Amino acid sequence: MSSSATGATLRLPVGLFHERARHGTARLRLLAGTDELRVQEAAAAGEPRASLVTALLAACTTAIGDLADIDESLVQALCIGDREALLLHLHRLTFGEAIEAVVSCPGCAELLDLDLRVADLLVPPAMPGEPEAVVAVGAAGASWRARLRRVTGADQLAVLYRSDAAAQLLRQCILSLERDDGTAWPLESIPQELAAALDGTLAELDPQAEIRLALACPACRQNFTANFDAAGHLIAEIAAEAGLLLGEVGAIARAFRWRETDILALPRPRRRAYAALAAQR
Ligand SMILES: [Zn+2]
């Protein structure tokens, strides 16, 4: 990632496939008060995570490859891992490299304090991949040929209120499924063993989608893995600053007589600097 005073450019793990071209980089701008307020209000209102992440990324992503007009539909077309990478870089840009997290040991329920670093959670960008993958799988006593694409933000949004979300997510990402004799197989009746294998393939195609932490409990010495929730963590950190944000806006408004909308439009570091100046007056 290359950073400047206004934002950062990063390589996406997979990249956006749009109109026959792959766009492998993205540019993020710094959060402004309007973005933080939007996240705080949406989190308080219980807005679904997938739509909140999409709105935040659409606001803060100023370019994806050659594409400069970034709207929600482009951000929704990114695979889950690319969205996770953007969120991690947004964390780095906003709060720095260090991430403090707490997980509970599944063995003894002891709470472990984790000191994570953004760099350790990012997977290296893959070799420029293809938008689709063809895999051969042996499962449920047969051989299968499947054409798959990666799970996107739009897919997650589409299954939000479905009770069979995981199964439907897989069906959406299968472009075709055939048995070894060449017959097309209906996606409504995928054998369980085959579904598990295809879920595994989807995970391999998008390694940044799930951030797995290998941990050891100091209390009971059990080794276990836990998922790190980059979106949930970033949203919680921004939400925790709701009081601080309004305090800064109020202090700057009183000290300099600026309008609320102008103060909220400032990039976060500049607002914080003005708030420090206002406190000295
Ligand atoms: Zn334990």
Side-chain angles (χ1 to χ4, degrees):
M1 178 164 99
S2 64
S3 296
S4 68
T6 55
T9 300
L10 60 121
R11 293 173 76 81
L12 295 168
V14 171
L16 177 68
F17 297 95
H18 183 75
E19 290 173 357
R20 294 169 182 273
R22 175 181 172 272
H23 301 271
T25 60
R27 176 144 189 93
L28 287 169
R29 66 157 171 80
L30 297 171
L31 285 182
T34 40
D35 309 312
E36 296 165 78
L37 202 58
R38 163 87 173 75
V39 170
Q40 288 159 3
E41 290 175 348
E47 184 178 329
R49 174 81 60 81
S51 65
L52 176 47
V53 166
T54 293
L56 179 63
L57 290 181
C60 296
T61 307
T62 53
I64 300 177
D66 304 333
L67 308 171
D69 254 338
I70 307 305
D71 58 14
E72 294 205 354
S73 69
L74 283 179
V75 170
Q76 283 187 352
L78 289 170
C79 69
I80 301 307
D82 283 4
R83 287 161 62 95
E84 292 285 305
L86 284 169
L87 290 168
L88 287 170
H89 282 281
L90 204 52
H91 182 285
R92 175 185 273 166
L93 209 51
T94 310
F95 299 106
E97 184 70 17
I99 295 179
E100 288 173 15
V102 177
V103 294
S104 166
C105 168
C108 69
E110 174 89 357
L111 293 178
L112 279 65
D113 290 316
L114 306 180
D115 291 316
L116 307 171
R117 298 184 62 74
V118 170
D120 297 334
L121 303 178
L122 289 166
V123 303
M127 293 293 288
E130 297 293 321
E132 303 170 13
V134 176
V135 290
V137 183
S143 312
W144 308 83
R145 218 175 98 92
R147 206 153 58 82
L148 301 168
R149 62 164 180 80
R150 296 172 183 85
V151 182
T152 66
D155 291 317
Q156 280 190 331
L157 210 56
V159 303
L160 207 54
Y161 298 108
R162 292 184 65 122
S163 55
D164 62 342
Q168 176 61 20
L169 212 51
L170 176 61
R171 285 194 289 269
Q172 284 171 196
C173 294
I174 299 176
L175 302 168
S176 66
L177 178 63
E178 290 174 359
R179 262 172 71 130
D180 46 2
D181 59 8
T183 51
W185 193 261
L187 301 186
E188 290 69 37
S189 54
I190 302 174
Q192 209 168 5
E193 191 189 345
L194 176 60
L198 294 177
D199 277 333
T201 305
L202 284 181
E204 282 168 27
L205 286 172
D206 192 5
Q208 185 74 76
E210 218 175 51
I211 302 170
R212 309 278 290 166
L213 306 172
L215 302 169
C217 175
C220 73
R221 309 211 166 269
Q222 183 177 323
N223 293 319
F224 64 99
T225 58
N227 283 355
F228 176 72
D229 174 7
H233 198 274
L234 181 62
I235 290 167
E237 271 190 296
I238 295 171
E241 289 193 342
L244 181 72
L245 171 64
L246 293 183
E248 288 177 351
V249 172
I252 295 168
R254 276 194 302 278
F256 306 116
R257 300 188 175 279
W258 294 347
R259 292 187 318 159
E260 184 199 43
T261 46
D262 295 337
I263 301 168
L264 286 174
L266 291 169
R268 184 173 183 275
R270 204 134 37 99
R271 184 188 72 239
R272 309 214 74 183
Y274 281 124
L277 284 175
Q280 291 168 14
R281 285 161 66 110

